Amino acid sequence: MQMQRIVVTSYTGATYGSIRALLSQNRVSHMSITGSPPMNVDDVTTDAPRQPSLTEYQANVVNFEQSLFNSLLTEWHEERGIASSASEMILCPSYQRIIAMGPAAIPLILRQLRNEGDDPDHWFWALEIITGEDPIPEDAYGDTVRMAELWLTWGRRQNAW
Amino acid sequence: MPGSWSPSNLPFLTEDNHSIESPRKNRYNCLSWAAGSKRKWWSPIKPYFWPPEAPREATIEAFVRAFETLGYAVCADGSLELGIEKLAIFARTDPAGNLVATHAARQLPNGRWTSKLGPLEDIEHLRPEDVNGPTYGAPLRYMSRVK
């Protein structure tokens, strides 16, 4: 089987799906992601003719998803600007792309939420849409620190990260 | 010190008409700041805080109702009056032609105004109109209450 090297330098909506498809077919032995958003697959070349181990394959998937998430996070902060409206923030295309990553985004969001400490960002809507869960009681609405703690507790119970 | 916002979002802010008063924070927004709180992010959508007596919608009427729960009532303008606290409620027209409430600023005792810029810094500015622009639109309602 021909192995491929993929260099992602920009991103379009179709990119995530196509790279996941290549990874799931075990056709990628090495992947590097460069550039800032928007990213796209613009260079696919033949690489080492070696079947990657399961560990390498998993590392490729994790690296790709983390890089994609980081890029979309940067893009989201730029897109939302000074918007005070939570609806406007979550309707940003980059935030919607994070939601479109599906379950793969859950551990990335939860780790990000944990790293944000006492000033958590607005991940609650994405988590609720992706997981179908709602661990936030009404008396915690708007208290972003408490909401983050509740989601992190949910994540630990689910072994989600 | 320059703010972390894009000047295109706030085209009327100049070095002379505003000052930055806090670091950027995700924890509270303009509505909670106008209400005098830094503890909760106010927004009509769940899972954010919204006064139960107000409809959960981004309309001027809903914003007015939300601040009425704190004792404010609609008033004529944003002029400085002794012993009175005032708010300005901003709105802009969305692409479908609907008026969408977007922002609130609070008058300070010295007559200047304070705005929290979404998840970014809070600032003091000379007039409510200093934060007019494509994101917030313009102040369309004023509210006041006795201190």
Side-chain angles (χ1 to χ4, degrees):
Chain A
M1 182 189 293
Q2 200 84 332
M3 290 295 112
Q4 292 181 313
R5 166 166 293 191
I6 297 175
V7 180
V8 181
T9 54
S10 56
Y11 173 81
T12 61
T15 309
Y16 178 66
S18 59
I19 293 178
R20 280 300 299 239
L22 283 171
L23 290 169
S24 66
Q25 293 160 23
N26 216 10
R27 287 168 54 200
V28 177
S29 63
H30 172 80
M31 180 162 57
S32 63
I33 299 176
T34 58
S36 52
M39 304 190 312
N40 195 11
V41 178
D42 67 351
D43 182 23
V44 180
T45 55
T46 303
D47 197 3
R50 179 177 65 83
Q51 188 78 10
S53 67
L54 182 60
T55 307
E56 286 172 324
Y57 162 70
Q58 288 168 335
N60 282 338
V61 173
V62 169
N63 288 341
F64 165 64
E65 287 170 343
Q66 184 69 61
S67 298
L68 177 59
F69 178 81
N70 293 345
S71 295
L72 291 171
L73 171 60
T74 303
E75 199 174 337
W76 178 44
H77 285 170
E78 289 169 7
E79 282 176 354
R80 70 184 187 184
I82 59 169
S84 290
S85 153
S87 338
E88 284 186 34
M89 291 200 299
I90 65 180
L91 287 173
C92 288
S94 46
Y95 193 85
Q96 293 295 310
R97 284 182 190 151
I98 290 172
I99 291 175
M101 289 174 71
I106 296 172
L108 305 174
I109 293 175
L110 290 173
R111 269 197 295 273
Q112 178 68 24
L113 204 50
R114 181 196 59 193
N115 293 342
E116 287 164 352
D118 66 356
D119 193 32
D121 214 332
H122 296 268
W123 297 112
F124 317 110
W125 189 264
L127 285 167
E128 188 176 332
I129 293 292
I130 296 170
T131 65
E133 300 282 341
D134 179 13
I136 312 294
E138 202 162 334
D139 66 357
Y141 281 3
D143 182 344
T144 55
V145 172
R146 196 170 153 211
M147 289 159 70
E149 284 167 1
L150 288 161
W151 271 111
L152 292 172
T153 301
W154 175 90
R156 280 189 283 270
R157 286 194 185 130
Q158 303 292 320
N159 292 319
W161 54 296
Chain B
M1 181 181 69
S4 55
W5 58 87
S6 162
S8 62
N9 281 324
L10 295 165
F12 300 103
L13 272 192
T14 65
E15 279 186 22
D16 300 331
N17 67 11
H18 81 280
S19 57
I20 296 172
E21 299 297 323
S22 80
R24 45 192 298 175
K25 279 279 177 189
N26 289 311
R27 194 166 182 180
Y28 63 101
N29 66 345
C30 64
L31 300 177
S32 37
W33 183 232
S37 169
K38 288 185 173 184
R39 286 196 56 246
K40 290 186 175 182
W41 186 284
W42 284 36
S43 185
I45 66 164
K46 294 178 180 178
Y48 293 95
F49 175 77
W50 197 242
E53 300 85 351
R56 279 192 174 267
E57 55 188 38
T59 60
I60 293 180
E61 292 72 25
F63 278 34
V64 165
R65 185 73 197 102
F67 286 111
E68 281 176 347
T69 66
L70 300 177
Y72 286 94
V74 172
C75 66
D77 58 41
S79 59
L80 183 62
E81 296 179 50
L82 203 60
I84 301 290
E85 286 180 323
K86 291 193 175 180
L87 304 175
I89 295 174
F90 290 66
R92 68 156 204 271
T93 306
D94 73 9
N98 303 310
L99 204 55
V100 181
T102 55
H103 180 66
R106 174 166 45 91
Q107 193 179 44
L108 297 166
N110 61 9
R112 290 168 66 91
W113 293 76
T114 180
S115 281
K116 172 74 161 60
L117 304 175
L120 306 182
E121 299 91 338
D122 63 68
I123 62 167
E124 277 189 29
H125 45 107
L126 275 179
R127 305 170 310 140
E129 294 82 4
D130 295 330
V131 294
N132 285 9
T135 305
Y136 296 153
L140 294 189
R141 289 281 190 291
Y142 290 93
M143 300 186 76
S144 66
R145 72 178 179 187
V146 177
K147 277 182 193 169

